Amino acid sequence: PTVQLGDPFAGKCLIEACLEAFLTGAVVAVKDMGAAGLTCTTVEMAAAGGVGMVVDLSLVPKREPDMQPWEVMMSESQERMLLVVQRGREWEVQRVFDRWGLNCVVVGRITDDGVVRIYDRMGRGTRDEGRAGLVAEIPAKAIANAPSHDLPMQPPDYLARVRAFDFAQLPEPDDYNEALLHLLSSPNIAGKAWVYERYDHTVQTNTVALPGAADAAVLRLKDWDERLGIAVTADCNSLYCYLDPYRGAQLAVAEAARNLSCVGAEPAGVTDCLCFGNPEKPDRYWQFAECVKGIADACRELNLPVVSGNVSFYNESETSVIHPSPLIGMVGVLDDVSRHATMAFKDEGDVIVLLGVCRDELGGSEYLRWRFGLEVGEPPRLDWRLEKAVQTVCREGIRQSLIKSAHDASEGGLAVCLAEGCIVGNLGAQVAVPSQAVAFSSLISHPSSLLFSETQSRIIVTVSPSDLEALSALAAAHDCPAFVLGTVGGDGLRFTFNGQTLVDLSVGPMAEVWRTALTRWVS
């Protein structure tokens, strides 16, 4: 009935206090209290160390009176850590937490028998030898090493139907300008200022790229090194996972890494949040298993550790179920935070370059979903060699100060990527694509495919004309396709294909739709 509420200020104090406590050298082990609260931390820490633990729940700080032992053990209140500290040095750690205005209480001790014993008001002097107040006693490994259960699974019945969709029946838009504006109004594409303006991103002045300015958040780590920075992002296209859970999960990992590369950061680690329906239903469990395989294989390709995560099951009602949603959070590292890129087009006359290739891939696109209400086809394919080459060139181009702007072409395709560069930079773009351009690995069957296909492994970058040759050489060295699409300039986006003008929109109308759409949808 109640959901635990976070306290960002207390959380920040807790992080700083822990980091300071670690510097004392007195902390042996630490674990964040997340799912299952004190139960999880005590059992898992004891099992991991091959030791036992005695805990007295009467000593645990509580927010409410008269809590039952099981409530204390299962509470998932936020901003809590369990620390194991060297005996006799507790005061060093307590002094640190007192300075940060936080509770720091000794609630138990480590034993050598591998058994976790939980007391409530343990009798004084009895320690763990007595039985007074004992409410739970179990070997730590009996809980930490949970039994596995192989559930039945099978592909969903809908897959064959949605994958067999005939794209030839789709009508072309009468007006591509209107189609692009309509796509910019999609909540999945529109600007997210309505969300991020509710939070203060200037606290401690560590924000380098302002919210909405880049494909990932960029933060400096000035407490460690004035030049060092990190980038963070979270990605998942649940429609891709609905159409192909394995490939969709891989695409989520690839896009998260690509977004970090677009700001110049080297991907370093992953956390996941896996949201699915009822795993007791074979089709739901199959989706879950395929997504987990996809994440694992993608992280192996990129040599990324999955350091944490959680799973949320049973997200469905009697009439509907969520799409499989393996949300990927990823962090990257910048050696020099001053050398980063944003998505905004910067200067008149800059050259617009496509890293990657375009394909005729409308399956699972936002264009199909938002314009036609269709969730059909197969998600875009993924070529890991090309993906890694595109990301490497982008990162290196930013580090060498060749690339001025970089933006991942994902939801909405090429047209939306270009439009967002224009909107955020308040500059136009003149793009001309010949019909047989070698940027396309296969013929584009319709202009809508050219504009709105969501082919992966594509990044739009801009460079000064004087740096174009150096970027081309860098791309050639990594066997990365790179094609000039046009130039930055003017007061609008003009997109021509084989001599035909498909899009001719001023920046103002595009910006108005993109910036106000989400507010209109939630108001």
Side-chain angles (χ1 to χ4, degrees):
T2 57
V3 176
Q4 62 272 19
L5 297 178
D7 183 341
F9 180 74
K12 175 61 176 174
C13 291
L14 180 63
I15 291 172
E16 296 298 335
C18 286
L19 293 174
E20 190 174 328
F22 299 158
L23 295 177
T24 66
V27 178
V28 177
V30 61
K31 188 170 178 62
D32 169 43
M33 290 196 195
L38 195 58
T39 299
C40 178
T41 49
T42 53
V43 169
E44 291 190 354
M45 292 179 77
V51 298
M53 192 177 291
V54 172
V55 175
D56 186 351
L57 298 183
S58 66
L59 303 176
V60 176
K62 306 173 187 67
R63 292 175 177 170
E64 298 181 18
D66 302 323
M67 291 182 67
Q68 297 299 309
W70 70 268
E71 293 177 310
V72 178
M73 289 299 293
M74 296 302 295
S75 170
E76 297 183 4
S77 294
Q78 301 295 287
E79 288 80 51
R80 297 187 301 165
M81 295 278 190
L82 188 66
L83 276 63
V84 176
V85 179
Q86 293 177 11
R87 179 182 291 274
R89 302 186 65 183
E90 300 91 340
W91 64 273
E92 296 180 53
V93 175
Q94 285 178 321
R95 186 170 60 183
V96 171
F97 280 79
D98 288 344
R99 188 160 56 249
W100 285 94
L102 299 171
N103 286 315
C104 181
V105 180
V106 175
V107 298
R109 66 185 182 88
I110 300 299
T111 63
D112 60 3
D113 59 4
V115 177
V116 173
R117 295 180 177 87
I118 306 298
Y119 289 83
D120 186 32
R121 298 180 179 86
M122 183 171 64
R124 291 186 178 276
T126 64
R127 305 297 290 176
D128 60 308
E129 292 81 10
R131 309 296 291 179
L134 184 68
V135 295
E137 183 178 29
I138 193 169
K141 291 185 177 180
I143 298 180
N145 299 333
S148 62
H149 181 38
D150 292 327
L151 296 172
M153 59 181 176
Q154 66 182 32
D157 295 335
Y158 67 79
L159 280 183
R161 172 179 53 82
V162 297
R163 290 180 180 178
F165 181 77
D166 181 11
F167 285 89
Q169 64 182 283
L170 284 177
E172 283 293 291
D174 295 327
D175 184 339
Y176 293 101
N177 286 337
E178 184 276 332
L180 176 55
L181 289 174
H182 180 65
L183 201 52
L184 290 173
S185 72
S186 164
N188 285 336
I189 290 175
K192 306 302 187 292
W194 182 86
V195 178
Y196 62 68
E197 285 181 351
R198 282 163 166 68
Y199 300 89
D200 188 350
H201 58 271
T202 62
V203 173
Q204 297 194 341
T205 64
N206 282 324
T207 303
V208 177
L210 298 178
D215 285 11
V218 181
L219 307 169
R220 65 173 58 85
L221 300 178
K222 60 186 179 184
D223 291 341
W224 283 271
D225 185 331
E226 286 292 338
R227 298 179 63 187
L228 188 63
I230 62 171
V232 291
T233 187
D235 288 283
C236 178
N237 188 320
S238 60
L239 179 51
Y240 289 170
C241 298
Y242 170 77
L243 299 173
D244 187 331
Y246 176 77
R247 191 189 304 177
Q250 286 196 310
L251 291 171
V253 175
E255 183 177 353
R258 201 180 314 129
N259 284 338
L260 296 179
S261 295
C262 282
V263 298
E266 183 81 34
V270 170
T271 185
D272 57 45
C273 177
L274 310 179
C275 301
F276 292 82
N278 182 355
E280 298 170 50
K281 297 179 179 179
D283 56 345
R284 316 286 202 259
Y285 188 64
W286 180 83
Q287 292 174 330
F288 172 71
E290 289 295 297
C291 282
V292 171
K293 292 176 185 176
I295 293 172
D297 287 347
C299 289
R300 290 188 187 100
E301 284 284 351
L302 297 176
N303 195 29
L304 291 174
V306 180
V307 300
S308 63
N310 57 46
V311 182
S312 175
F313 281 131
Y314 302 98
N315 294 287
E316 60 181 276
S317 67
E318 293 181 359
T319 58
S320 64
V321 57
I322 67 166
H323 287 345
S325 304
L327 180 68
I328 300 298
M330 193 177 294
V331 63
V333 178
L334 296 93
D335 294 331
D336 185 350
V337 75
S338 67
R339 296 193 177 189
H340 70 276
T342 62
M343 71 171 74
F345 292 156
K346 299 299 189 298
D347 298 301
E348 295 262 357
D350 283 347
V351 181
I352 302 171
V353 178
L354 167 67
L355 301 179
V357 297
C358 296
R359 302 188 186 99
D360 197 352
E361 294 179 307
L362 280 176
S365 66
E366 190 67 11
Y367 172 72
L368 280 188
R369 191 197 67 82
W370 189 239
R371 186 172 183 84
F372 299 101
L374 295 173
E375 298 184 339
V376 295
E378 294 188 25
R381 72 193 75 172
L382 181 59
D383 178 341
W384 279 114
R385 189 212 63 79
L386 177 61
E387 180 70 48
K388 288 184 274 192
V390 167
Q391 292 192 33
T392 299
V393 171
C394 184
R395 288 195 302 268
E396 191 57 33
I398 294 171
R399 290 170 186 160
Q400 295 182 21
S401 299
L402 301 175
I403 292 175
K404 291 186 175 183
S405 73
H407 190 19
D408 168 32
S410 53
E411 287 89 352
L414 200 61
V416 167
C417 181
L418 291 165
E420 289 177 334
C422 292
I423 292 168
V424 181
N426 196 29
L427 274 173
Q430 312 304 309
V431 176
V433 179
S435 61
Q436 299 296 325
V438 292
F440 308 114
S441 61
S442 61
L443 285 177
I444 298 296
S445 58
H446 300 288
S448 58
S449 293
L450 170 63
L451 294 172
F452 307 124
S453 282
E454 296 180 2
T455 298
Q456 300 294 291
S457 310
R458 294 185 300 172
I459 298 176
I460 296 292
V461 303
T462 59
V463 298
S464 297
S466 59
D467 290 326
L468 178 59
E469 184 176 351
L471 179 65
S472 298
L474 178 63
H478 291 279
D479 194 20
C480 172
F483 306 96
V484 173
L485 295 183
T487 58
V488 174
D491 59 1
L493 172 60
R494 184 180 177 85
F495 192 114
T496 64
F497 175 54
N498 195 26
Q500 175 190 2
T501 299
L502 301 179
V503 174
D504 192 357
L505 282 168
S506 297
V507 174
M510 293 192 296
E512 173 67 18
V513 170
W514 186 78
R515 289 195 170 108
T516 62
L518 191 60
T519 302
R520 293 197 305 271
W521 283 109
V522 298
S523 62

